[in-house]
Amino acid sequence: MSREQLQKFAQYLISAHHTDVLPTAQKLADEILQAKSQINLFAGAPDPTAGASVDDDSSWHLDEEQVQEQVKTYLSQGGYYNSSNQLNAMFAKVREMLRARDSNGARMLTLITEQFLEDPRLPVWRTQGTPMTDKCRQLWDELGALWVCVVLNPNINQSDKDHWNEALDKWSLMASCPLEDADNRSAYDNQESDDDSSDDENPGPSTRPQRPKPRTIFHRALEGCQLTWNNPHLQMVLREDVCYYEERCDRSTMFDSQGLPLWDEDISTACARVDALRSHGYMKEALRLAVVIVRTMKKRQREDQEKYRKGLEKGFKHSSPKQQSPPPPVSPEGWIGHPLDPIGCLFDTLLEASTAIDDSSSDSSVDSFSTRAFGGSDSSSVTIATRYQHLPISGNRDHTESYLTLAIEVALMGLGQQRLMPGGVYAQEKACKQEEKLIGRLTEIPLDSTLIAVMRKQAVLLLEGGPNSGLGVGIHSESIPMHTFAKYLFTSLLPHDADLAYRVGLRAMRLPVLEDSDDTEDAFSNLAPMVISRYPRWFTLGHLESQQCELASTMLSAAKTDMLRLRTVLESAQRNIHSSSQLFRVAQDAFKIATPAEGPKHGPLLNVALELGLQVMRMTLSTLNWRRREMVRWLVTCAIEVGVDALMSIIRNWYTFFTPLEATGTVATTVMSPATIIQMSLNYHQQEKLASCARTLALQCASKDPPNCALCALNLCEKDPVAFETAYQIVIDAAEHIMTSSQLFTIARYMEHRGYPHRAYELALLSLKNLHLAYNQDTHPAINDIHWACALSHSLGKNELSTVIPLLMKNVKCATVLSDILRRFSMTAPGMATAAADGKRKPLKLLSFEKPPLRQLLDATIHAYISTTHSRLTHISPRHYGDFIDFLSKARETFLLAHDGHLQFAQLIENMKFIYKGKKKLMYLIKERFGL
């Protein structure tokens, strides 16, 4: 380092750890300034990092026992956050050792691997058929990727490669070794059944086809052992920055049209080479290879597009979708979600070459167009600005191309690749996380005109691409949707090329796995079983639909000032979003944007929200949805914001969107509330028109569903005598064959409360006709209603009372209920309410138990007590004797109300003594209490 660099290094180091090293730093500074201090007696300074030469392999001391014990301890702690961090730190240490070309790096990885394979949880998970935890699986993935880097060391000798190949092969054959596909349980079963078949008593050639052995976590490393670096073309790519090969341009697989080199190899394999080069400290070589790989990918993309275009010209575009299904993706596995993360590797390599730390020694000639700050929240922490810059690529005649443009381009190509949904939950979630991580990295890079041009070019290529493009015209039904990626493209392109941005967004709105069904109900309640039975289970379907929803909301918000685009986006959302819950979310988002807390409402977007809400109402009208009540309330709120015409429309067409109960209980009631009238500032004519529509709705709902809607209808029609009478007649007509006594009692009480006692009385009679109480139902929930009905008839007069009593005698057999009613009738004279209403002062007489109508009721009550007595004695046990004696005491009180009641009660006791003479203890208690 130069003097300035050393000074900066020391200052940054002290600033980053000031609380730990500041006292020591001050002490050392004081000693350095003293000419005769101990520190100045010797030249130079100690170097704690001293090791071998930069070009030599180094072999520092490795405490193997400590490594093994640490890994064992961390694994025993399960999936705790800290233990996972510690193991990842050990992996990072391995990468650091590999980068320093320390030969102990591979040895440390071996020790870690052996401890991982001895994890006692592995056989348990396998025996139980349960997958390992996600954190554990991520650690295994990193372990497998590290071994790929080890075996792809460009300087590895053959003996070391053979050694690692043998070790990896041995580990792969172990029963505890995890599979590459974390969700492939059938592969374990296949392996076990194949092992069992080897014990067959009849050896010989098997006629069964041999099942392929399942790939383990180490298989990619085993494949890496077969790769070499001695290809002359590859050596040339790694060695030279500037390459001019115009005279050999005809060799299209090795050079492009400009004579620049290509590398024609599987993308994931080629990217594994880049990762290995970086891991072993060959940064320049890794960058050169990354550039060539991206150049090759771009060439293949252009060639695929040309083939697809020629195919269209030959007639593919004239085939209907029913006649020809979209071709499957060409690539056997997706780049996003791949175990080795090839796109992330290329992106990191190219972006790293485009990043510079902001300091005074920076080259001012470099095109540096953006900065980004990061650092701790502590005011004393260091803030370092990162600048992204366009560094030209040596030998490239296209001066607009830089490492940064290639980084952006390869990320867009990877994200836009058409790829099939993997089979298991871990693989699906991993693909989502890789996609979101890469898009997150992209959003951190400000876009200048050069990068926007790259993005526009890639967007067009993806839209016009063939089967390799996830944004192409025809895609496979099992393709992973492009919603998250398209949202990034849309927001990035919108300020610069709105037409292209909307093309991308509209093309990506689809969700192919759900679009070959005519059923448009909620995906989780209706479509999920169909999807599971026909395709690999889409465990991330909910997340994908949520991303689809976010894309739609983003586009609706952007299009709110352009009516044509707003309508186009709306129609796309209605056509492609198949989950009612997600469509409801889009409607809510549009409503929030259209009704800001401050500022005017946005009418067109409000109408979009209402239209989406009405579609949700239609989708969920005949299906169960736990959010239905919330949806109905929200829709009414939205319609109120839109205006009176929208309210009138949904009221007139209520049967299309609501159940009768929803229409009367929520819609009409909210519309007719004073708060709504005030909020909408309705004039008298508008109020009357709206009220008339609401009353019509209420009567229609009451006719369709009297039990649930009649009371609401009566309430809504109170101010219109004709409508109120119509609603009342609907109740009367439905009373005998549709409505329960409880529902009728509720309406009858409402009528009395509103000042219609005679109509309440009529409904009470209908309720009593439908009601039956047995002798032992003395806690029946309708008892309070019966008492109310009796009190109502008693208050109206003797005639009404005389009508009620026969119904009670017929339908109520419970003696205690009848005796309570009997006593209440005798406490006041009948007709007091009517007399008070008429203003008459004619004296009213109390009813006699010896005259009708109470005489009949008294006889019925006594008969009920006699019947109940015998019924209770049939199954009585000694522990109930006390309750039974109390029951007889109450019965005697009722018997004595009759002039011959004492004789009837005595006769009852005599009959009991004769019939139940075997119950001597009970008879003794009766004699002791009653003296009979």
Side-chain angles (χ1 to χ4, degrees), residues 431-694:
C432 288
K433 289 175 183 177
Q434 273 194 18
E435 179 185 48
E436 290 170 359
K437 179 182 177 182
L438 184 55
I439 291 175
R441 297 284 306 280
L442 284 171
T443 57
E444 294 175 356
I445 304 173
L447 301 174
D448 63 357
S449 58
T450 303
L451 296 182
I452 289 296
V454 170
M455 189 170 288
R456 292 173 70 176
K457 181 182 74 172
Q458 267 303 319
V460 172
L461 286 170
L462 290 171
L463 287 170
E464 298 176 356
N468 274 328
S469 172
L471 290 173
V473 176
I475 60 174
H476 198 281
S477 61
E478 296 175 51
S479 288
I480 296 177
M482 298 278 109
H483 306 135
T484 310
F485 175 46
K487 180 186 172 186
Y488 166 73
L489 280 180
F490 178 81
T491 54
S492 300
L493 289 170
L494 189 63
H496 311 282
D497 192 336
D499 289 338
L500 182 57
Y502 279 99
R503 282 181 63 197
V504 169
L506 292 171
R507 177 70 61 79
M509 191 77 75
R510 60 200 174 187
L511 186 53
V513 73
L514 300 182
E515 288 173 4
D516 57 349
S517 171
D518 295 331
D519 193 350
T520 58
E521 301 300 334
D522 193 282
F524 295 104
S525 60
N526 296 76
L527 286 178
M530 177 272 295
V531 174
I532 290 172
S533 65
R534 293 172 47 229
Y535 303 108
R537 295 183 65 181
W538 284 52
F539 297 96
T540 55
L541 182 60
H543 172 76
L544 296 174
E545 288 188 304
S546 177
Q547 295 300 310
Q548 183 187 36
C549 166
E550 287 193 18
L551 173 62
S553 296
T554 301
M555 295 180 67
L556 286 172
S557 176
K560 64 183 180 181
T561 58
D562 188 322
M563 292 302 299
L564 180 59
R565 281 182 174 147
L566 185 63
R567 172 55 54 177
T568 303
V569 175
L570 170 63
E571 292 173 354
S572 178
Q574 290 177 313
R575 183 173 61 255
N576 290 297
I577 299 178
H578 299 282
S579 166
S580 59
S581 297
Q582 296 298 338
L583 200 64
F584 179 50
R585 180 180 163 192
V586 176
Q588 288 178 304
D589 289 345
F591 180 78
K592 288 177 184 177
I593 298 168
T595 54
E598 297 180 1
K601 295 186 292 188
H602 193 280
L605 197 54
L606 258 179
N607 284 316
V608 166
L610 179 63
E611 193 167 338
L612 288 170
L614 292 176
Q615 182 173 344
V616 171
M617 291 294 101
R618 288 190 292 266
M619 292 170 70
T620 58
L621 180 59
S622 58
T623 61
L624 295 176
N625 190 298
W626 64 276
R627 299 186 67 187
R628 173 73 184 181
R629 182 178 297 180
E630 176 193 357
M631 292 171 175
V632 172
R633 287 197 300 265
W634 177 87
L635 185 78
V636 176
T637 301
C638 183
I640 290 172
E641 290 288 343
V642 173
V644 66
D645 291 338
L647 275 180
M648 299 280 284
S649 176
I650 66 171
I651 290 175
R652 286 170 177 159
N653 300 285
W654 68 267
Y655 47 86
T656 308
F657 312 114
F658 312 106
T659 65
L661 179 59
E662 292 169 343
T664 54
T666 301
V667 180
T669 303
T670 304
V671 169
M672 294 287 286
S673 67
T676 300
I677 294 172
I678 294 172
Q679 179 182 350
M680 299 184 70
S681 303
L682 301 179
N683 57 39
Y684 178 78
H685 175 70
Q686 290 173 322
Q687 292 180 37
E688 286 300 307
K689 191 174 180 181
L690 200 58
S692 176
C693 286

Side-chain angles (χ1 to χ4, degrees), residues 122 207 228 257 349 438 535 559 564 569:
L122 292 177
T207 58
T228 66
S257 59
T349 304
L438 184 55
Y535 303 108
L564 180 59
V569 175

